[in-house]
Amino acid sequence: MTRLTIRRPDDWHLHLRDGAMLAGVLPHSSADFARAIIMPNLVPPVVTTAQAEAYRQRILAALPKGHDFTPLMVLYLTEGTAADDVEAGFRSGLITAVKLYPAGATTNSHGGVRDFSKVTAVLERMAEIGLPLCVHGEVTDPAVDIFDREAVFLETVLDPLRRRIPGLRVVLEHVTTREGVDYVRAQERDLAATITVHHLMINRNAIFAGGIRPHYYCLPVAKREEHRLALRAAATSGDARFFLGTDSAPHVDPAKECGCGCAGIYTAPNAMACLAHVFEEEGALDRLEAFASLNGPAFYRLPPNEGHLVLEKRAAPVPVPDKVVTGEGTVTVFDPMVPVHWTVSARTA
Ligand code: DOR
Ligand code: ZN
């Protein structure tokens, strides 16, 4: 197969940032994706519905003419979040999810949750109204090895939390381990997981290939090959509990290429081409649409998009610019380290 038409995909986990960075990166997402779950870890974070509405307006103002793109807004959960504000945001149609960052787990997560008992009332309200919780699933205990943080989180935080608050609908964001995939598969309801493109393409060797490579550093950090293979099996299985969330996370080059580089891999410009490459390798191009365009809307109780995206496989590898220039500085685009022959050749609204 060298040409594939799918419903327009959505990105169920995206960092757009703000200001000049937002203006520089947004067109690369809005070109291909019809909707995206917009991560709220700005500085300061998007904590209230009023802040989410203002951020939504800034995103819409930065959208190139002719791009058809709907930002799905997310609130950043803190120990001070008011259940009534969350419910009002949900009922007005503005808020699509709430994001739980364990404090200290990743970029701009220090305002997140330290004591999970302090957010019980909000989570109970979310369970009542059916509002999904997006979870960064890693423990922050420095005694836990960084490669084990997801597996330990499932056992010590997520599973007890889901038992305490039955009916809470949870998305385990950017799942990176076999344990994560197995946990999701074992649940009959109220749990799904997003998978990034980069975790389908690289394992942890990429971070250390011939030297330290900051552009392959993200959180959760890439794991061993056996975990990458488990993610590939889940993504290409057609199982509706798994769908695409790129976690495309731009940082300017100086913030990555330094003594303490930020976590984040910027995949928006080549996410769909890389994804087609992965699905072809797995003999699963017929299931790409489910993963990128159907399973996500089904979990979020939204209709699939009406428009379509055409992917084409070319005889020669299709070059992608290695950097995107923004008003804040240059951002390095994900290099999959293998030739990718797929490209997006057409889009309809
Ligand atoms: O790699 C990551 N980058 N992981 C996250 O959880 C946050 C993100 C960011 O905001 O840069
Ligand atoms: Zn993220």
Side-chain angles (χ1 to χ4, degrees):
M1 198 192 294
T2 58
R3 191 183 152 89
L4 180 66
T5 301
I6 60 169
R7 294 256 197 169
R8 254 186 103 198
D10 301 303
D11 186 346
W12 299 98
H13 183 132
L14 175 63
H15 297 269
L16 285 178
R17 317 300 190 201
D18 214 341
M21 178 65 93
L22 165 65
V25 299
L26 173 61
H28 297 280
S29 288
S30 59
D32 291 350
F33 296 98
R35 297 171 289 200
I37 281 277
I38 309 299
M39 284 297 127
N41 63 333
L42 304 182
V43 189
V46 181
V47 169
T48 64
T49 54
Q51 289 168 334
E53 175 54 21
Y55 185 31
R56 192 179 77 93
Q57 293 299 339
R58 297 199 295 280
I59 295 168
L60 294 177
L63 200 59
K65 274 207 176 36
H67 279 206
D68 169 31
F69 176 79
T70 304
L72 303 173
M73 304 313 292
V74 177
L75 291 175
Y76 183 114
L77 183 64
T78 73
E79 292 176 7
T81 296
D84 286 347
D85 186 52
V86 171
E87 179 167 357
F90 173 66
R91 299 236 181 259
S92 75
L94 171 68
I95 299 301
T96 303
V98 173
K99 174 79 185 229
L100 167 65
Y101 286 106
T106 187
T107 312
N108 300 331
S109 63
H110 44 272
V113 178
R114 254 163 252 280
D115 177 353
F116 291 92
S117 70
K118 295 205 172 129
V119 294
T120 302
V122 177
L123 299 181
E124 281 172 350
R125 184 77 67 89
M126 289 169 62
E128 228 175 274
I129 63 181
L131 176 58
L133 179 72
C134 294
V135 174
H136 184 108
E138 290 192 286
V139 292
T140 53
D141 180 351
V144 177
D145 189 276
I146 189 167
F147 295 101
D148 298 332
R149 286 181 188 172
E150 181 173 290
V152 173
F153 182 89
L154 299 173
E155 237 184 271
T156 63
V157 181
L158 186 60
D159 193 60
L161 181 88
R162 293 184 61 247
R163 285 175 198 279
R164 235 178 19 252
I165 307 174
L168 180 64
R169 311 185 68 237
V170 173
V171 182
L172 177 60
E173 300 281 78
H174 40 52
V175 63
T176 59
T177 57
R178 175 184 298 286
E179 290 87 343
V181 164
D182 288 348
Y183 180 73
V184 173
R185 280 214 181 98
Q187 313 305 309
E188 298 213 332
R189 44 174 306 190
D190 298 331
L191 184 64
T194 57
I195 302 179
T196 76
V197 171
H198 49 279
H199 288 113
L200 293 171
M201 295 198 86
I202 61 163
N203 63 32
R204 64 191 194 176
N205 287 346
I207 309 164
F208 308 105
I212 196 142
R213 293 182 181 256
H215 296 292
Y216 294 110
Y217 173 58
C218 63
L219 287 170
V221 69
K223 308 293 192 299
R224 287 176 182 275
E225 179 65 357
E226 63 157 305
H227 298 290
R228 186 181 75 108
L229 297 178
L231 299 178
R232 281 193 167 217
T236 60
S237 66
D239 186 326
R241 289 169 290 195
F242 298 99
F243 43 87
L244 175 62
T246 66
D247 199 9
S248 178
H251 293 276
V252 292
D253 286 336
K256 300 267 311 161
E257 300 166 0
C258 59
C260 185
C262 296
I265 299 181
Y266 179 58
T267 52
N270 54 355
M272 289 308 298
C274 287
L275 200 61
H277 174 96
V278 167
F279 275 67
E280 184 185 34
E281 278 188 341
E282 298 295 323
L285 280 172
D286 58 329
R287 293 198 275 266
L288 177 62
E289 185 180 46
F291 181 68
S293 315
L294 302 177
N295 296 348
F299 183 84
Y300 277 96
R301 298 174 175 160
L302 293 167
N305 298 306
E306 289 299 329
H308 290 85
L309 192 82
V310 182
L311 288 147
E312 265 180 40
K313 187 179 182 186
R314 301 274 155 81
V318 182
V320 173
D322 58 345
K323 305 218 186 262
V324 163
V325 179
T326 79
E328 245 179 63
T330 59
V331 178
T332 294
V333 176
F334 174 60
D335 171 1
M337 292 189 288
V338 290
V340 171
H341 292 247
W342 288 88
T343 191
V344 174
S345 64
R347 302 129 172 130
T348 62

